[in-house]
Amino acid sequence: MSLATADLTDEHPGLQVLELPLRDFGGSKAFHGPVTTLKVFEDNSLVRAAFEEPGAGRVLVVDGGGSLRCALVGDLLAELAAKNGWAGAVVYGAIRDSAPIVGIAIGLKALATHPRKSVKRGEGQRDIPVSFGGLTIRPGDYLYADADGVVVGAAAVHTAG
């Protein structure tokens, strides 16, 4: 059974497709799972709190407002996420420590890199709908990501491939 985004969109045209050219950073280039969402701005406190929990194959979608002034995920958080069973993360913002993250078994897509760390004020919202890149992603949606892009549906779908 294939979970390639191209196959999924062919067989399930109702899937939403992210209209952003995100870059791959993690060691896993293809990942999928149910979504947990965060809406933050230049503060990664809630990202750490989420990754400290058992991931159970989930994907963290972080709406960082598209800010490229600091990073919301670095190698320590990527390691924490992998250790706790997260499938991956999609970050509408920047990450850092891209060289070591390549060796971590986690999917990680983001807009770009930035060397500066974020502030830690504990600000943001969790498990709310977030909108960027031409779509709205809700907690519990199912996200598929690979080298071709990111697609999202209200439930898990499969294809004969």
Side-chain angles (χ1 to χ4, degrees), residues 31 51 58-62 73 87-91 106-110:
F31 57 98
F51 285 159
R58 290 179 290 163
V59 175
L60 186 64
V61 174
V62 181
V73 176
V90 173
V91 180
I106 186 122
L108 180 58
K109 287 184 172 281

Side-chain angles (χ1 to χ4, degrees), residues 11 13 19 38 45-46 56 60 67 77 85 87 100 120 131 145 147 152-153:
E11 293 189 23
E19 299 170 0
L38 295 177
S45 303
L46 295 182
L60 186 64
S67 174
L77 289 184
K120 316 278 190 272
S131 297
V152 178

Side-chain angles (χ1 to χ4, degrees), residues 140-153:
D141 280 353
Y142 211 87
L143 183 143
Y144 300 87
D146 64 14
D148 289 335
V150 173
V151 297
V152 178

